[in-house]
Amino acid sequence: MGISREALRYNFQFLILTLAVRLWIPAERRRVINALGLKPGDSVLDHCSGLGGNLAPLCAAISPGGRVNAMDNSPAMVRAASRLATRRRLPVTVEKADAMALPYPDDAFDAVMHTGAINQFGDQRQAAMDEILRVTKPGGVICIQDEGMSTARAATRFGRFLIKQNPMFLDPIPIELVPDGVNARVERVMADLFFNIVFRKP
Ligand SMILES: C[S@@+](CC[C@H](N)C(=O)[O-])C[C@H]1O[C@@H](n2cnc3c(N)ncnc32)[C@H](O)[C@@H]1O
């Protein structure tokens, strides 16, 4: 009895998804984080850290001697990221916190990394950015990433499929969150599916 076309297609899709989650996405995260210019000894906040996908590359960038704090408002995410940090022996403190009221003093971090929630914040986006700016040291690096597909990608079959699953892929890049007069590097990452805004706090 042969394998049906349907089974082959299912296995192929599963293989592609597994490779993306295991290899491609972590490699993209490393590439973006390596371009932030972090150095050993730096303190970094992984903002809305979710399952902790940014933690290993952030720790690699600030080791030896640095520290990473991670926060998320979901207890399940905090538990998952804490477990990951323990399993991989990463120098990370994970805590439950709200992005609109961060539990850190002013100018606490050399860098703040945010991936994947700013689009959901709606009219709270500026409040979240004000908090990120507050806890970043003057001259510190802020990196904001979220869904934001290029026009070319949106016109492809893959792009249309993703937009159907999640219309936020069509959200414009929220460049208005960068403080007036500040130069920001704005780019598309992850196969033109996400935007990346990087700037230094004045
Ligand atoms: C799409 S996940 C991204 C997770 C992670 N940064 C990553 O790169 O995989 C977005 C995360 O933001 C968190 N989140 C949403 N609103 C939040 C808020 N107001 N304060 C803190 N975390 C929030 C969610 O719990 C979720 O874990």
PDB file of all heavy atoms in Angstrom, residues 30-38 185 187 198:
ATOM      1  N   ARG A  30      18.718  35.640  15.943  1.00  0.00           N
ATOM      2  CA  ARG A  30      20.145  35.885  16.226  1.00  0.00           C
ATOM      3  C   ARG A  30      20.680  37.006  15.347  1.00  0.00           C
ATOM      4  O   ARG A  30      21.407  37.883  15.799  1.00  0.00           O
ATOM      5  CB  ARG A  30      20.959  34.612  15.957  1.00  0.00           C
ATOM      6  CG  ARG A  30      20.995  33.650  17.122  1.00  0.00           C
ATOM      7  CD  ARG A  30      22.121  32.625  16.980  1.00  0.00           C
ATOM      8  NE  ARG A  30      22.073  31.863  15.752  1.00  0.00           N
ATOM      9  CZ  ARG A  30      21.317  30.783  15.547  1.00  0.00           C
ATOM     10  NH1 ARG A  30      20.542  30.331  16.519  1.00  0.00           N
ATOM     11  NH2 ARG A  30      21.334  30.132  14.398  1.00  0.00           N
ATOM     12  N   ARG A  31      20.298  36.977  14.075  1.00  0.00           N
ATOM     13  CA  ARG A  31      20.802  37.977  13.122  1.00  0.00           C
ATOM     14  C   ARG A  31      20.371  39.382  13.562  1.00  0.00           C
ATOM     15  O   ARG A  31      21.181  40.309  13.610  1.00  0.00           O
ATOM     16  CB  ARG A  31      20.255  37.649  11.721  1.00  0.00           C
ATOM     17  CG  ARG A  31      20.911  38.408  10.598  1.00  0.00           C
ATOM     18  CD  ARG A  31      20.303  38.028   9.255  1.00  0.00           C
ATOM     19  NE  ARG A  31      18.889  38.385   9.152  1.00  0.00           N
ATOM     20  CZ  ARG A  31      18.432  39.601   8.931  1.00  0.00           C
ATOM     21  NH1 ARG A  31      19.280  40.597   8.785  1.00  0.00           N
ATOM     22  NH2 ARG A  31      17.144  39.839   8.851  1.00  0.00           N
ATOM     23  N   VAL A  32      19.091  39.529  13.897  1.00  0.00           N
ATOM     24  CA  VAL A  32      18.579  40.844  14.303  1.00  0.00           C
ATOM     25  C   VAL A  32      19.267  41.302  15.595  1.00  0.00           C
ATOM     26  O   VAL A  32      19.710  42.440  15.719  1.00  0.00           O
ATOM     27  CB  VAL A  32      17.040  40.789  14.490  1.00  0.00           C
ATOM     28  CG1 VAL A  32      16.524  42.019  15.211  1.00  0.00           C
ATOM     29  CG2 VAL A  32      16.353  40.624  13.132  1.00  0.00           C
ATOM     30  N   ILE A  33      19.395  40.388  16.566  1.00  0.00           N
ATOM     31  CA  ILE A  33      19.987  40.756  17.858  1.00  0.00           C
ATOM     32  C   ILE A  33      21.477  41.068  17.703  1.00  0.00           C
ATOM     33  O   ILE A  33      21.984  42.018  18.294  1.00  0.00           O
ATOM     34  CB  ILE A  33      19.692  39.653  18.902  1.00  0.00           C
ATOM     35  CG1 ILE A  33      18.200  39.734  19.272  1.00  0.00           C
ATOM     36  CG2 ILE A  33      20.586  39.779  20.134  1.00  0.00           C
ATOM     37  CD1 ILE A  33      17.661  38.584  20.075  1.00  0.00           C
ATOM     38  N   ASN A  34      22.171  40.309  16.849  1.00  0.00           N
ATOM     39  CA  ASN A  34      23.596  40.592  16.637  1.00  0.00           C
ATOM     40  C   ASN A  34      23.825  41.965  16.021  1.00  0.00           C
ATOM     41  O   ASN A  34      24.887  42.556  16.182  1.00  0.00           O
ATOM     42  CB  ASN A  34      24.230  39.524  15.738  1.00  0.00           C
ATOM     43  CG  ASN A  34      24.406  38.224  16.497  1.00  0.00           C
ATOM     44  OD1 ASN A  34      24.357  38.205  17.736  1.00  0.00           O
ATOM     45  ND2 ASN A  34      24.597  37.127  15.772  1.00  0.00           N
ATOM     46  N   ALA A  35      22.812  42.473  15.318  1.00  0.00           N
ATOM     47  CA  ALA A  35      22.970  43.785  14.668  1.00  0.00           C
ATOM     48  C   ALA A  35      22.672  44.947  15.622  1.00  0.00           C
ATOM     49  O   ALA A  35      22.748  46.106  15.228  1.00  0.00           O
ATOM     50  CB  ALA A  35      22.054  43.866  13.447  1.00  0.00           C
ATOM     51  N   LEU A  36      22.327  44.647  16.881  1.00  0.00           N
ATOM     52  CA  LEU A  36      21.971  45.726  17.809  1.00  0.00           C
ATOM     53  C   LEU A  36      23.197  46.351  18.479  1.00  0.00           C
ATOM     54  O   LEU A  36      23.079  47.373  19.158  1.00  0.00           O
ATOM     55  CB  LEU A  36      21.018  45.206  18.901  1.00  0.00           C
ATOM     56  CG  LEU A  36      19.655  44.723  18.418  1.00  0.00           C
ATOM     57  CD1 LEU A  36      18.794  44.266  19.601  1.00  0.00           C
ATOM     58  CD2 LEU A  36      18.940  45.816  17.639  1.00  0.00           C
ATOM     59  N   GLY A  37      24.361  45.709  18.327  1.00  0.00           N
ATOM     60  CA  GLY A  37      25.579  46.270  18.921  1.00  0.00           C
ATOM     61  C   GLY A  37      25.650  46.089  20.431  1.00  0.00           C
ATOM     62  O   GLY A  37      26.289  46.887  21.123  1.00  0.00           O
ATOM     63  N   LEU A  38      25.003  45.043  20.966  1.00  0.00           N
ATOM     64  CA  LEU A  38      25.099  44.777  22.408  1.00  0.00           C
ATOM     65  C   LEU A  38      26.502  44.279  22.728  1.00  0.00           C
ATOM     66  O   LEU A  38      27.174  43.712  21.871  1.00  0.00           O
ATOM     67  CB  LEU A  38      24.068  43.729  22.821  1.00  0.00           C
ATOM     68  CG  LEU A  38      22.610  44.082  22.525  1.00  0.00           C
ATOM     69  CD1 LEU A  38      21.682  42.938  22.897  1.00  0.00           C
ATOM     70  CD2 LEU A  38      22.224  45.348  23.259  1.00  0.00           C
ATOM     71  N   ARG A 185      16.599  53.100  12.283  1.00  0.00           N
ATOM     72  CA  ARG A 185      16.777  52.152  11.171  1.00  0.00           C
ATOM     73  C   ARG A 185      15.472  51.360  11.057  1.00  0.00           C
ATOM     74  O   ARG A 185      15.017  50.760  12.033  1.00  0.00           O
ATOM     75  CB  ARG A 185      17.940  51.218  11.490  1.00  0.00           C
ATOM     76  CG  ARG A 185      18.354  50.362  10.304  1.00  0.00           C
ATOM     77  CD  ARG A 185      19.587  49.538  10.629  1.00  0.00           C
ATOM     78  NE  ARG A 185      19.238  48.295  11.286  1.00  0.00           N
ATOM     79  CZ  ARG A 185      19.808  47.827  12.393  1.00  0.00           C
ATOM     80  NH1 ARG A 185      20.751  48.518  12.987  1.00  0.00           N
ATOM     81  NH2 ARG A 185      19.435  46.669  12.908  1.00  0.00           N
ATOM     82  N   GLU A 187      13.464  48.440   8.842  1.00  0.00           N
ATOM     83  CA  GLU A 187      13.680  47.401   7.830  1.00  0.00           C
ATOM     84  C   GLU A 187      12.615  46.316   7.951  1.00  0.00           C
ATOM     85  O   GLU A 187      11.893  46.267   8.948  1.00  0.00           O
ATOM     86  CB  GLU A 187      15.078  46.791   8.005  1.00  0.00           C
ATOM     87  CG  GLU A 187      15.245  46.176   9.378  1.00  0.00           C
ATOM     88  CD  GLU A 187      16.687  45.826   9.748  1.00  0.00           C
ATOM     89  OE1 GLU A 187      17.584  45.984   8.914  1.00  0.00           O
ATOM     90  OE2 GLU A 187      16.896  45.385  10.888  1.00  0.00           O
ATOM     91  N   VAL A 198      14.809  50.156  14.833  1.00  0.00           N
ATOM     92  CA  VAL A 198      15.898  50.218  15.823  1.00  0.00           C
ATOM     93  C   VAL A 198      16.350  51.668  15.959  1.00  0.00           C
ATOM     94  O   VAL A 198      16.608  52.336  14.953  1.00  0.00           O
ATOM     95  CB  VAL A 198      17.110  49.354  15.366  1.00  0.00           C
ATOM     96  CG1 VAL A 198      18.201  49.380  16.425  1.00  0.00           C
ATOM     97  CG2 VAL A 198      16.686  47.929  15.070  1.00  0.00           C
TER      98      VAL A 198
END
